Amino acid sequence: MTYEHLKGTEDPEPDYRSDMPYNLNVVYFYPKGTQPHPKYQKRLSGVLTFWQEHLADELASYGYERRKFGLLRDVYNDSLVKIIPIEGQYEDYRSGSQNIKYIAEEVNAYFAEHPDEKAGPHTAIFQRGTGNGSGCDFNPDPKLFFTGINNLAYLIDYEKLDMKYFRNGTTEGDCLKVGSNMHELLHSLNVPHDRERYNDPDNFRECIMSGGGGRLSRQEYAGKVHITKAACAILDKNPIFQTTASPYYTSPEFGLDNFEFTSDEENIYIKAHLAATGAKPAHLAVYHDKYPAWVNNDYDAINWTTAFDENGNAELTMPLAGFYPDMLEDWAFIRLKLRIVFEDGTLESLDNFGYFMLNGKPRLDMHLNETINEMDKSDWQVTYIKSEQAGKGKENLIDNDRNTLWHSEWWGSPQIGKIPQDFIVDLGAVKTVNGFTFAQRQQTDPNNSGPLQVHIKNYTIEISNDQTNWTKLGDYSLQQIQERQIRTFADPLSLRYVRITMNSTYNKDVCALAEFGAF
């Protein structure tokens, strides 16, 4: 590879190096028979340098170590970053989403042929943009996808993508796509959409992972466009931000074996214990996203983050003052999304949680515990059930096997299997009970949402010693998760019979439950 188009012939051959063990690969992709936009290496080196410094400052602002992500630079001119030009095999880009696949194949083929050129697990791909060269006429070609996915950032270059326009007060400066391109780069580094909290200070007016990317280059937004602490927690463990070499993305095995969400008039609280094999958990980020999420694709998800201690415990207090007014409206449904960041950079997601707002307060009281010891069920019986589907009968509720399930009838009589449904369990004798356990129908096919739709949402618990006189304990809710959920009580209960009435599901008018227990 030669660099005569970038330097004088008397200059030494570029020698790209970095002190970091892993670096961001930077590629310039352009169709066959075309050329990169003029001065692309100088221009984009300035952009990449700004991103390095900006993200390092963001990390430091939240108390993380100030570290820049790795970039290979020319030892003879360290203002120049190594950018690998790759000419495509076609004279034009492919159509629609096929363009992502096509470019990924070309880039992966290049690194397969030149393995020494790959400096880390993440790659920024600048696509040669079309148009008149101005950021105000950005991405007019619908074939160019602008996204970050699977460790690849599909970015767009144009002739005036140049830091000389950054916050210079001109129209071109206002249109500069430095922040928009960084938004997609951050996606390729595992950072999801999110936004600033309602009560964040005035110097945090816009989040880059929401709508702030397009405003980063404007004078009036200087110092007011940032990323969140949750985003920085993810970057803190990303391989290209590490100063020492160690295995990354090892996919550690883990289990959230003790977990509870509670709330009061001012705060939401979380306590969690995570047991992991391999890389240890480092950070926990909790996102609150008002439904319907598909309308804005998580752009309005506020979040909080905390660190796990050495034993895998994490606690977090999230003030309701950080919620936007529309999130506090009656019956607003909020999706809870957990992001677990491991020491090796692995990011795991747990998304099937949710709650409603009522009178400005969350209806949230959720407990999971995989470590409690349940009662022996050998003398239990299900003495009554409203309906059951053949092959998915009442005995499956207490067989100690979450892979079996009871399902209300969906064939035959059109009404008998619809909610509400109820069942009664005889514990065999009067016993002291501290709480009950529930396991939802287990989801085994990610392409089939049916099992999730029959998950129980709201239910009622009643207890009795004679199966005639019943005492209602309360109305509660279950989450759409596979883990065992628990309902504990302040004082031990004395009972022989328990009746569970299932009042609603997450979508269907029939319902299912995998397991019921007590402790």
Short mmCIF file of all heavy atoms in Angstrom, two decimals, residues 381-430:
data_model
loop_
_atom_site.label_atom_id
_atom_site.label_comp_id
_atom_site.label_asym_id
_atom_site.label_seq_id
_atom_site.Cartn_x
_atom_site.Cartn_y
_atom_site.Cartn_z
N GLN A 381 -51.58 -30.93 46.81
CA GLN A 381 -52.52 -31.27 45.74
C GLN A 381 -53.15 -29.99 45.20
O GLN A 381 -53.40 -29.05 45.97
CB GLN A 381 -53.65 -32.17 46.27
CG GLN A 381 -53.24 -33.55 46.71
CD GLN A 381 -54.45 -34.38 47.11
OE1 GLN A 381 -55.41 -34.54 46.33
NE2 GLN A 381 -54.44 -34.89 48.33
N VAL A 382 -53.42 -29.99 43.91
CA VAL A 382 -54.23 -28.92 43.33
C VAL A 382 -55.66 -29.42 43.37
O VAL A 382 -56.05 -30.32 42.62
CB VAL A 382 -53.79 -28.60 41.88
CG1 VAL A 382 -54.68 -27.48 41.32
CG2 VAL A 382 -52.33 -28.19 41.84
N THR A 383 -56.43 -28.87 44.30
CA THR A 383 -57.78 -29.39 44.53
C THR A 383 -58.82 -28.78 43.60
O THR A 383 -59.93 -29.32 43.48
CB THR A 383 -58.21 -29.14 45.99
OG1 THR A 383 -58.18 -27.72 46.25
CG2 THR A 383 -57.27 -29.86 46.95
N TYR A 384 -58.50 -27.68 42.99
CA TYR A 384 -59.45 -27.05 42.07
C TYR A 384 -58.68 -26.26 41.03
O TYR A 384 -57.66 -25.61 41.34
CB TYR A 384 -60.38 -26.10 42.82
CG TYR A 384 -61.19 -25.20 41.88
CD1 TYR A 384 -62.32 -25.68 41.24
CD2 TYR A 384 -60.77 -23.89 41.61
CE1 TYR A 384 -63.04 -24.87 40.36
CE2 TYR A 384 -61.48 -23.07 40.74
CZ TYR A 384 -62.61 -23.56 40.12
OH TYR A 384 -63.32 -22.78 39.25
N ILE A 385 -59.14 -26.31 39.80
CA ILE A 385 -58.64 -25.42 38.75
C ILE A 385 -59.79 -25.13 37.80
O ILE A 385 -60.60 -26.02 37.49
CB ILE A 385 -57.42 -26.04 38.02
CG1 ILE A 385 -56.67 -24.95 37.27
CG2 ILE A 385 -57.84 -27.17 37.08
CD1 ILE A 385 -55.20 -25.24 37.12
N LYS A 386 -59.91 -23.92 37.36
CA LYS A 386 -61.05 -23.52 36.53
C LYS A 386 -61.04 -24.21 35.19
O LYS A 386 -62.08 -24.67 34.70
CB LYS A 386 -61.07 -22.01 36.36
CG LYS A 386 -62.27 -21.50 35.59
CD LYS A 386 -62.30 -19.98 35.52
CE LYS A 386 -63.51 -19.49 34.75
NZ LYS A 386 -63.54 -18.00 34.64
N SER A 387 -59.84 -24.29 34.55
CA SER A 387 -59.75 -25.00 33.27
C SER A 387 -58.33 -25.45 33.06
O SER A 387 -57.39 -24.93 33.67
CB SER A 387 -60.19 -24.09 32.10
OG SER A 387 -59.18 -23.15 31.77
N GLU A 388 -58.15 -26.43 32.19
CA GLU A 388 -56.80 -26.90 31.85
C GLU A 388 -56.83 -27.49 30.45
O GLU A 388 -57.80 -28.11 30.03
CB GLU A 388 -56.30 -27.92 32.86
CG GLU A 388 -57.19 -29.13 33.01
CD GLU A 388 -56.75 -30.03 34.14
OE1 GLU A 388 -55.60 -29.93 34.59
OE2 GLU A 388 -57.57 -30.87 34.57
N GLN A 389 -55.74 -27.27 29.74
CA GLN A 389 -55.59 -27.81 28.40
C GLN A 389 -55.05 -29.23 28.49
O GLN A 389 -54.15 -29.51 29.30
CB GLN A 389 -54.65 -26.92 27.56
CG GLN A 389 -54.44 -27.38 26.14
CD GLN A 389 -55.72 -27.34 25.32
OE1 GLN A 389 -56.56 -26.48 25.52
NE2 GLN A 389 -55.89 -28.29 24.42
N ALA A 390 -55.56 -30.12 27.67
CA ALA A 390 -55.08 -31.50 27.67
C ALA A 390 -53.57 -31.52 27.44
O ALA A 390 -53.05 -30.87 26.53
CB ALA A 390 -55.78 -32.29 26.58
N GLY A 391 -52.86 -32.29 28.31
CA GLY A 391 -51.40 -32.38 28.22
C GLY A 391 -50.68 -31.27 28.95
O GLY A 391 -49.45 -31.31 29.09
N LYS A 392 -51.42 -30.28 29.44
CA LYS A 392 -50.84 -29.16 30.20
C LYS A 392 -51.73 -28.91 31.42
O LYS A 392 -52.30 -27.84 31.58
CB LYS A 392 -50.70 -27.92 29.32
CG LYS A 392 -49.70 -28.09 28.18
CD LYS A 392 -49.65 -26.88 27.28
CE LYS A 392 -48.55 -26.93 26.24
NZ LYS A 392 -48.11 -28.20 25.76
N GLY A 393 -51.81 -29.97 32.25
CA GLY A 393 -52.76 -29.97 33.34
C GLY A 393 -52.26 -29.36 34.62
O GLY A 393 -51.11 -28.93 34.75
N LYS A 394 -53.15 -29.40 35.63
CA LYS A 394 -52.89 -28.75 36.91
C LYS A 394 -51.71 -29.35 37.67
O LYS A 394 -51.05 -28.66 38.45
CB LYS A 394 -54.16 -28.81 37.77
CG LYS A 394 -54.60 -30.24 38.10
CD LYS A 394 -55.93 -30.24 38.86
CE LYS A 394 -56.33 -31.68 39.23
NZ LYS A 394 -57.64 -31.71 39.93
N GLU A 395 -51.44 -30.65 37.44
CA GLU A 395 -50.34 -31.29 38.16
C GLU A 395 -48.99 -30.66 37.83
O GLU A 395 -48.03 -30.73 38.62
CB GLU A 395 -50.30 -32.79 37.85
CG GLU A 395 -50.00 -33.16 36.39
CD GLU A 395 -51.20 -33.07 35.47
OE1 GLU A 395 -52.31 -32.75 35.95
OE2 GLU A 395 -51.01 -33.34 34.27
N ASN A 396 -48.88 -30.01 36.67
CA ASN A 396 -47.62 -29.37 36.28
C ASN A 396 -47.30 -28.14 37.11
O ASN A 396 -46.16 -27.68 37.13
CB ASN A 396 -47.66 -28.98 34.79
CG ASN A 396 -47.68 -30.19 33.88
OD1 ASN A 396 -47.25 -31.28 34.27
ND2 ASN A 396 -48.19 -30.00 32.67
N LEU A 397 -48.30 -27.61 37.81
CA LEU A 397 -48.05 -26.43 38.64
C LEU A 397 -47.15 -26.73 39.83
O LEU A 397 -46.47 -25.83 40.34
CB LEU A 397 -49.39 -25.87 39.16
CG LEU A 397 -50.26 -25.11 38.15
CD1 LEU A 397 -51.66 -24.92 38.72
CD2 LEU A 397 -49.62 -23.77 37.81
N ILE A 398 -47.13 -27.99 40.29
CA ILE A 398 -46.40 -28.31 41.52
C ILE A 398 -45.48 -29.52 41.33
O ILE A 398 -45.25 -30.29 42.26
CB ILE A 398 -47.38 -28.56 42.69
CG1 ILE A 398 -48.40 -29.65 42.34
CG2 ILE A 398 -48.10 -27.26 43.07
CD1 ILE A 398 -49.30 -30.05 43.51
N ASP A 399 -44.97 -29.70 40.11
CA ASP A 399 -44.12 -30.88 39.83
C ASP A 399 -42.63 -30.57 39.92
O ASP A 399 -41.80 -31.40 39.55
CB ASP A 399 -44.45 -31.48 38.46
CG ASP A 399 -44.10 -30.54 37.31
OD1 ASP A 399 -43.72 -29.37 37.57
OD2 ASP A 399 -44.23 -30.96 36.14
N ASN A 400 -42.25 -29.35 40.39
CA ASN A 400 -40.85 -28.95 40.54
C ASN A 400 -40.10 -28.93 39.21
O ASN A 400 -38.86 -29.09 39.19
CB ASN A 400 -40.12 -29.87 41.53
CG ASN A 400 -40.66 -29.74 42.94
OD1 ASN A 400 -40.75 -28.64 43.48
ND2 ASN A 400 -41.03 -30.88 43.53
N ASP A 401 -40.80 -28.72 38.13
CA ASP A 401 -40.16 -28.70 36.81
C ASP A 401 -40.69 -27.51 36.03
O ASP A 401 -41.84 -27.49 35.60
CB ASP A 401 -40.47 -30.01 36.06
CG ASP A 401 -39.72 -30.09 34.73
OD1 ASP A 401 -39.04 -29.11 34.35
OD2 ASP A 401 -39.83 -31.14 34.07
N ARG A 402 -39.84 -26.51 35.82
CA ARG A 402 -40.27 -25.31 35.10
C ARG A 402 -40.45 -25.55 33.61
O ARG A 402 -41.01 -24.71 32.90
CB ARG A 402 -39.26 -24.18 35.29
CG ARG A 402 -39.13 -23.69 36.71
CD ARG A 402 -38.23 -22.48 36.78
NE ARG A 402 -37.62 -22.35 38.09
CZ ARG A 402 -36.74 -21.42 38.41
NH1 ARG A 402 -36.37 -20.53 37.50
NH2 ARG A 402 -36.22 -21.36 39.61
N ASN A 403 -39.97 -26.66 33.13
CA ASN A 403 -40.10 -26.95 31.70
C ASN A 403 -41.47 -27.54 31.35
O ASN A 403 -41.79 -27.69 30.18
CB ASN A 403 -38.98 -27.89 31.24
CG ASN A 403 -37.63 -27.22 31.32
OD1 ASN A 403 -37.46 -26.09 30.90
ND2 ASN A 403 -36.65 -27.93 31.88
N THR A 404 -42.24 -27.92 32.38
CA THR A 404 -43.64 -28.29 32.15
C THR A 404 -44.50 -27.08 32.52
O THR A 404 -44.02 -26.14 33.16
CB THR A 404 -44.05 -29.50 32.98
OG1 THR A 404 -43.97 -29.15 34.38
CG2 THR A 404 -43.12 -30.68 32.71
N LEU A 405 -45.77 -27.11 32.17
CA LEU A 405 -46.61 -25.96 32.49
C LEU A 405 -48.07 -26.33 32.52
O LEU A 405 -48.50 -27.30 31.88
CB LEU A 405 -46.39 -24.83 31.47
CG LEU A 405 -46.80 -25.14 30.02
CD1 LEU A 405 -47.93 -24.22 29.59
CD2 LEU A 405 -45.61 -24.98 29.08
N TRP A 406 -48.83 -25.56 33.29
CA TRP A 406 -50.28 -25.58 33.21
C TRP A 406 -50.70 -24.48 32.24
O TRP A 406 -50.11 -23.39 32.22
CB TRP A 406 -50.91 -25.32 34.58
CG TRP A 406 -52.33 -24.83 34.45
CD1 TRP A 406 -53.43 -25.58 34.23
CD2 TRP A 406 -52.77 -23.47 34.49
NE1 TRP A 406 -54.55 -24.79 34.14
CE2 TRP A 406 -54.16 -23.48 34.28
CE3 TRP A 406 -52.12 -22.25 34.65
CZ2 TRP A 406 -54.91 -22.31 34.25
CZ3 TRP A 406 -52.85 -21.09 34.61
CH2 TRP A 406 -54.24 -21.12 34.41
N HIS A 407 -51.72 -24.80 31.43
CA HIS A 407 -52.25 -23.81 30.49
C HIS A 407 -53.76 -23.87 30.56
O HIS A 407 -54.35 -24.96 30.56
CB HIS A 407 -51.77 -24.11 29.07
CG HIS A 407 -51.82 -22.93 28.13
ND1 HIS A 407 -52.98 -22.26 27.84
CD2 HIS A 407 -50.83 -22.29 27.44
CE1 HIS A 407 -52.71 -21.26 26.99
NE2 HIS A 407 -51.41 -21.26 26.74
N SER A 408 -54.40 -22.72 30.64
CA SER A 408 -55.86 -22.72 30.59
C SER A 408 -56.32 -23.23 29.22
O SER A 408 -55.59 -23.14 28.23
CB SER A 408 -56.42 -21.31 30.86
OG SER A 408 -56.07 -20.42 29.82
N GLU A 409 -57.52 -23.74 29.17
CA GLU A 409 -58.02 -24.38 27.95
C GLU A 409 -58.15 -23.36 26.81
O GLU A 409 -58.70 -22.28 27.00
CB GLU A 409 -59.38 -25.03 28.22
CG GLU A 409 -59.92 -25.80 27.03
CD GLU A 409 -61.25 -26.46 27.33
OE1 GLU A 409 -61.63 -26.49 28.52
OE2 GLU A 409 -61.91 -26.93 26.39
N TRP A 410 -57.61 -23.73 25.65
CA TRP A 410 -57.80 -22.86 24.48
C TRP A 410 -58.58 -23.55 23.37
O TRP A 410 -58.95 -22.91 22.39
CB TRP A 410 -56.47 -22.33 23.94
CG TRP A 410 -55.58 -23.35 23.28
CD1 TRP A 410 -55.69 -23.82 22.02
CD2 TRP A 410 -54.43 -23.98 23.84
NE1 TRP A 410 -54.70 -24.72 21.73
CE2 TRP A 410 -53.88 -24.83 22.85
CE3 TRP A 410 -53.79 -23.93 25.08
CZ2 TRP A 410 -52.75 -25.60 23.05
CZ3 TRP A 410 -52.65 -24.69 25.29
CH2 TRP A 410 -52.16 -25.52 24.28
N TRP A 411 -58.84 -24.87 23.50
CA TRP A 411 -59.73 -25.58 22.59
C TRP A 411 -61.05 -25.86 23.31
O TRP A 411 -61.16 -25.72 24.51
CB TRP A 411 -59.12 -26.90 22.13
CG TRP A 411 -57.88 -26.76 21.31
CD1 TRP A 411 -56.62 -27.12 21.65
CD2 TRP A 411 -57.78 -26.21 19.99
NE1 TRP A 411 -55.73 -26.83 20.66
CE2 TRP A 411 -56.42 -26.27 19.61
CE3 TRP A 411 -58.70 -25.66 19.10
CZ2 TRP A 411 -55.96 -25.82 18.39
CZ3 TRP A 411 -58.25 -25.20 17.88
CH2 TRP A 411 -56.90 -25.29 17.54
N GLY A 412 -62.03 -26.32 22.57
CA GLY A 412 -63.30 -26.68 23.19
C GLY A 412 -64.15 -25.46 23.46
O GLY A 412 -64.33 -24.60 22.61
N SER A 413 -64.65 -25.39 24.69
CA SER A 413 -65.53 -24.27 25.04
C SER A 413 -64.80 -22.95 24.81
O SER A 413 -63.68 -22.77 25.26
CB SER A 413 -65.93 -24.38 26.51
OG SER A 413 -66.63 -23.22 26.89
N PRO A 414 -65.42 -22.00 24.11
CA PRO A 414 -64.73 -20.76 23.78
C PRO A 414 -64.54 -19.82 24.97
O PRO A 414 -63.82 -18.84 24.86
CB PRO A 414 -65.65 -20.12 22.73
CG PRO A 414 -67.01 -20.65 23.06
CD PRO A 414 -66.77 -22.06 23.55
N GLN A 415 -65.21 -20.09 26.10
CA GLN A 415 -65.14 -19.15 27.21
C GLN A 415 -64.38 -19.67 28.43
O GLN A 415 -63.80 -18.91 29.17
CB GLN A 415 -66.56 -18.76 27.65
CG GLN A 415 -67.38 -18.07 26.58
CD GLN A 415 -66.79 -16.73 26.18
OE1 GLN A 415 -66.24 -16.01 27.00
NE2 GLN A 415 -66.91 -16.40 24.90
N ILE A 416 -64.40 -20.98 28.65
CA ILE A 416 -63.92 -21.50 29.93
C ILE A 416 -62.44 -21.23 30.19
O ILE A 416 -62.01 -21.09 31.33
CB ILE A 416 -64.21 -23.02 30.03
CG1 ILE A 416 -64.02 -23.49 31.47
CG2 ILE A 416 -63.34 -23.81 29.06
CD1 ILE A 416 -64.48 -24.90 31.70
N GLY A 417 -61.63 -21.10 29.13
CA GLY A 417 -60.21 -20.91 29.33
C GLY A 417 -59.76 -19.47 29.42
O GLY A 417 -58.58 -19.18 29.65
N LYS A 418 -60.71 -18.54 29.27
CA LYS A 418 -60.32 -17.13 29.29
C LYS A 418 -60.13 -16.63 30.72
O LYS A 418 -60.69 -17.15 31.68
CB LYS A 418 -61.39 -16.29 28.60
CG LYS A 418 -61.47 -16.54 27.09
CD LYS A 418 -62.47 -15.61 26.43
CE LYS A 418 -62.50 -15.82 24.92
NZ LYS A 418 -63.45 -14.88 24.25
N ILE A 419 -59.30 -15.58 30.84
CA ILE A 419 -59.10 -14.97 32.15
C ILE A 419 -60.37 -14.24 32.58
O ILE A 419 -61.13 -13.78 31.72
CB ILE A 419 -57.90 -14.01 32.12
CG1 ILE A 419 -58.05 -12.99 30.99
CG2 ILE A 419 -56.60 -14.76 32.04
CD1 ILE A 419 -56.97 -11.94 30.97
N PRO A 420 -60.66 -14.19 33.89
CA PRO A 420 -59.79 -14.66 34.98
C PRO A 420 -59.83 -16.19 35.14
O PRO A 420 -60.85 -16.81 34.87
CB PRO A 420 -60.37 -13.96 36.20
CG PRO A 420 -61.81 -13.77 35.86
CD PRO A 420 -61.85 -13.48 34.40
N GLN A 421 -58.71 -16.74 35.57
CA GLN A 421 -58.59 -18.16 35.89
C GLN A 421 -58.12 -18.27 37.34
O GLN A 421 -57.45 -17.35 37.87
CB GLN A 421 -57.57 -18.83 34.98
CG GLN A 421 -57.99 -18.91 33.53
CD GLN A 421 -59.03 -19.98 33.28
OE1 GLN A 421 -58.86 -21.13 33.68
NE2 GLN A 421 -60.13 -19.60 32.63
N ASP A 422 -58.43 -19.37 38.00
CA ASP A 422 -57.94 -19.55 39.37
C ASP A 422 -57.70 -21.01 39.66
O ASP A 422 -58.23 -21.91 38.98
CB ASP A 422 -58.90 -18.93 40.39
CG ASP A 422 -60.29 -19.57 40.37
OD1 ASP A 422 -60.67 -20.13 39.32
OD2 ASP A 422 -60.99 -19.50 41.40
N PHE A 423 -56.86 -21.24 40.68
CA PHE A 423 -56.62 -22.61 41.17
C PHE A 423 -56.42 -22.55 42.67
O PHE A 423 -56.08 -21.51 43.25
CB PHE A 423 -55.41 -23.25 40.47
CG PHE A 423 -54.09 -22.55 40.69
CD1 PHE A 423 -53.32 -22.79 41.82
CD2 PHE A 423 -53.59 -21.68 39.73
CE1 PHE A 423 -52.10 -22.17 42.01
CE2 PHE A 423 -52.37 -21.05 39.90
CZ PHE A 423 -51.62 -21.29 41.04
N ILE A 424 -56.66 -23.69 43.31
CA ILE A 424 -56.49 -23.83 44.76
C ILE A 424 -55.51 -24.96 45.02
O ILE A 424 -55.62 -26.05 44.43
CB ILE A 424 -57.83 -24.14 45.46
CG1 ILE A 424 -58.80 -22.97 45.28
CG2 ILE A 424 -57.61 -24.43 46.95
CD1 ILE A 424 -60.20 -23.26 45.81
N VAL A 425 -54.56 -24.71 45.90
CA VAL A 425 -53.56 -25.71 46.29
C VAL A 425 -53.74 -26.05 47.77
O VAL A 425 -53.84 -25.14 48.62
CB VAL A 425 -52.13 -25.21 46.03
CG1 VAL A 425 -51.11 -26.21 46.55
CG2 VAL A 425 -51.91 -24.95 44.55
N ASP A 426 -53.80 -27.34 48.06
CA ASP A 426 -53.85 -27.85 49.43
C ASP A 426 -52.42 -28.24 49.82
O ASP A 426 -51.80 -29.10 49.18
CB ASP A 426 -54.78 -29.06 49.49
CG ASP A 426 -54.85 -29.70 50.88
OD1 ASP A 426 -54.20 -29.19 51.82
OD2 ASP A 426 -55.55 -30.72 51.00
N LEU A 427 -51.88 -27.61 50.88
CA LEU A 427 -50.51 -27.90 51.32
C LEU A 427 -50.43 -29.19 52.14
O LEU A 427 -49.34 -29.56 52.59
CB LEU A 427 -49.97 -26.73 52.15
CG LEU A 427 -50.01 -25.34 51.50
CD1 LEU A 427 -49.28 -24.34 52.38
CD2 LEU A 427 -49.44 -25.37 50.10
N GLY A 428 -51.54 -29.87 52.34
CA GLY A 428 -51.55 -31.16 53.05
C GLY A 428 -51.79 -31.04 54.53
O GLY A 428 -52.24 -31.99 55.18
N ALA A 429 -51.49 -29.89 55.12
CA ALA A 429 -51.69 -29.62 56.54
C ALA A 429 -51.50 -28.13 56.74
O ALA A 429 -50.99 -27.42 55.86
CB ALA A 429 -50.71 -30.42 57.40
N VAL A 430 -51.89 -27.63 57.91
CA VAL A 430 -51.64 -26.22 58.22
C VAL A 430 -50.14 -26.03 58.38
O VAL A 430 -49.49 -26.75 59.15
CB VAL A 430 -52.39 -25.80 59.51
CG1 VAL A 430 -52.01 -24.38 59.90
CG2 VAL A 430 -53.90 -25.92 59.31
#
